[in-house]
Amino acid sequence: MKASPDMRPRARSALKALIHRFLFTEMRIRTILLPLLFTLGSTAGAEPLTMTSVGSDTLGTLMLRWALAYQDLHSDIHLQIQTPGSASAVLALTSGAADLGPMSRPMSQTEEAAFRDKQGLLPQHIRVALDAVAVFVHPDNPLTSIRIAQLDGIYASDRGCPGSSDMQYWSDLGVSSSLATRPVLKIGRNTASGSYEFFREIALCNGDYRAEVVQFPGASAIVAAVAKEPAAIGYAGISYVSGLIKVLPVGQSRGDASSFLPDPESIRAGRYPLSRPLYIYFNPKNLDQHATKVREFLNFVLSDAGQAIVSAEGLVPMAADELAAQRRTIE
């Protein structure tokens, strides 16, 4: 007999209580530590030039590493980083509150139009790395792979992907262990996240999320939650993947027997269905007004040193011809 649906609210409540302390600590560290790091990095006795980045949580650690390395070369630059999510990049750039807007998804036409109405021209962007959204379960879960139609059946409130069917229990996914009668505890990002929108577009075929999906503002919290709960499934950028969880190969459709892990080769070749580029958006006016701030930092990101940091953070660096094309954008 399948578990009663009223178990799901209790499970979600218990899960949130379990990782509340972790999430609070993570957000408090980001709020306090990042400004402190960059304040300490500025030149004593001189008024530093300030550059502000507001945007993607997925790009948060990468922006931090780039910023620290860049400040080693330019100690008179004061860098401030905030990571509420990709949607915040749009708002901050449009209002003029940020110089840089890291995003894990492209801006929509509506967002670009709002920027143009306020600033008088369209925003520009460069691609800075290749990423993928990993899908993962608890290490004890016997599931060995998953398909886009199954993700749609788990997360979506309606069936938007071809071949999709409702999947509320682990038995619906072919699991026959003690998990079979347990509801699938669905965990994901919140609406401010670019990963939320990207996953909705690809894995839900532009459908809507179920109301019972547990949403968190940070990818690290999702990894921690799935690591604690055997009946959970979650998704996050590959730079957040750890040995605490089991990453699943993802296949495109039932008719295709192939499924792929989010490894560099599969991401670069586009075989992994949830592969994506990462972006930094900016106001093109800043290339003229603050050349030493914005253009030089972006050139550093696209340099060999900047792309080595991409690799060190578990992401996939850009190919040489793509880097050359991105550099031409900011010349």
Side-chain angles (χ1 to χ4, degrees):
M1 180 181 296
K2 292 185 176 181
S4 170
D6 63 8
M7 290 176 62
R8 279 173 267 171
R10 291 201 301 271
R12 293 197 302 272
S13 178
L15 181 62
K16 283 194 173 183
L18 181 67
I19 68 171
H20 176 271
R21 181 175 300 177
F22 171 86
L23 180 60
F24 175 76
T25 301
E26 179 191 40
M27 296 303 291
R28 184 171 60 181
I29 286 173
R30 288 198 175 197
T31 300
I32 296 173
L33 182 58
L34 290 179
L36 177 61
L37 280 171
F38 298 130
T39 299
L40 292 175
S42 58
T43 303
E47 186 67 28
L49 296 173
T50 300
M51 184 162 56
T52 301
S53 169
V54 179
S56 168
D57 172 74
T58 297
L59 275 152
T61 303
L62 187 56
M63 289 296 295
L64 171 59
R65 289 287 305 277
W66 277 332
L68 291 173
Y70 186 75
Q71 280 196 171
D72 285 343
L73 304 174
H74 303 273
S75 60
D76 60 333
I77 299 294
H78 183 123
L79 294 157
Q80 297 178 327
I81 298 175
Q82 300 174 41
T83 60
S86 293
S88 67
V90 180
L91 298 174
L93 286 172
T94 300
S95 68
D99 299 292
L100 303 170
M103 297 185 68
S104 59
R105 61 168 176 84
M107 276 195 195
S108 68
Q109 291 183 344
T110 300
E111 290 169 335
E112 288 186 337
F115 182 94
R116 183 187 56 216
D117 291 345
K118 180 73 173 179
Q119 297 292 336
L121 74 177
L122 288 171
Q124 288 186 331
H125 69 270
I126 58 171
R127 296 185 179 195
V128 296
L130 299 178
D131 182 34
V133 171
V135 178
F136 44 84
V137 293
H138 189 275
D140 294 338
N141 192 313
L143 195 65
T144 58
S145 66
I146 199 161
R147 303 207 169 274
I148 292 295
Q150 291 173 312
L151 291 171
D152 183 53
I154 292 169
Y155 279 95
S157 60
D158 47 13
R159 308 280 71 80
C161 296
S164 176
S165 60
D166 192 46
M167 296 196 171
Q168 288 296 286
Y169 295 86
W170 284 105
S171 59
D172 297 329
L173 289 141
V175 172
S176 57
S177 68
S178 59
L179 279 177
T181 58
R182 295 189 61 180
V184 178
L185 182 57
K186 302 163 278 290
I187 303 176
R189 294 297 305 276
N190 66 352
T191 56
S193 165
S195 297
Y196 172 99
E197 287 295 338
F198 175 79
F199 193 79
R200 187 183 69 81
E201 177 184 347
I202 305 300
L204 279 61
C205 297
N206 285 309
D208 294 323
Y209 283 91
R210 294 180 186 270
E212 66 265 26
V213 175
V214 181
Q215 297 183 4
F216 288 106
S220 296
I222 296 175
V223 172
V226 174
K228 294 287 187 181
E229 174 50 62
I233 187 170
Y235 64 85
I238 55 170
S239 62
Y240 289 89
V241 166
S242 73
L244 297 173
I245 42 87
K246 174 182 173 182
V247 177
L248 297 174
V250 178
Q252 189 65 54
S253 66
R254 288 183 180 179
D256 183 357
S258 302
S259 59
F260 300 93
L261 284 167
D263 55 52
E265 183 180 354
S266 295
I267 293 170
R268 195 182 292 282
R271 290 191 297 264
Y272 181 72
L274 297 172
S275 302
R276 63 180 178 179
L278 299 177
Y279 309 88
I280 295 180
Y281 276 81
F282 55 92
N283 188 331
K285 293 177 183 177
N286 288 343
L287 295 183
D288 297 326
Q289 297 171 357
H290 309 291
T292 57
K293 290 202 307 181
V294 175
R295 181 182 282 111
E296 288 188 13
F297 179 79
L298 295 177
N299 274 320
F300 173 77
V301 165
L302 298 173
S303 70
D304 290 344
Q307 292 297 294
I309 293 172
V310 170
S311 243
E313 287 302 309
L315 297 166
V316 181
M318 308 285 286
D321 57 342
E322 179 66 15
L323 286 170
Q326 300 308 304
R327 289 190 193 102
R328 288 193 290 272
T329 300
I330 54 177
E331 286 177 352

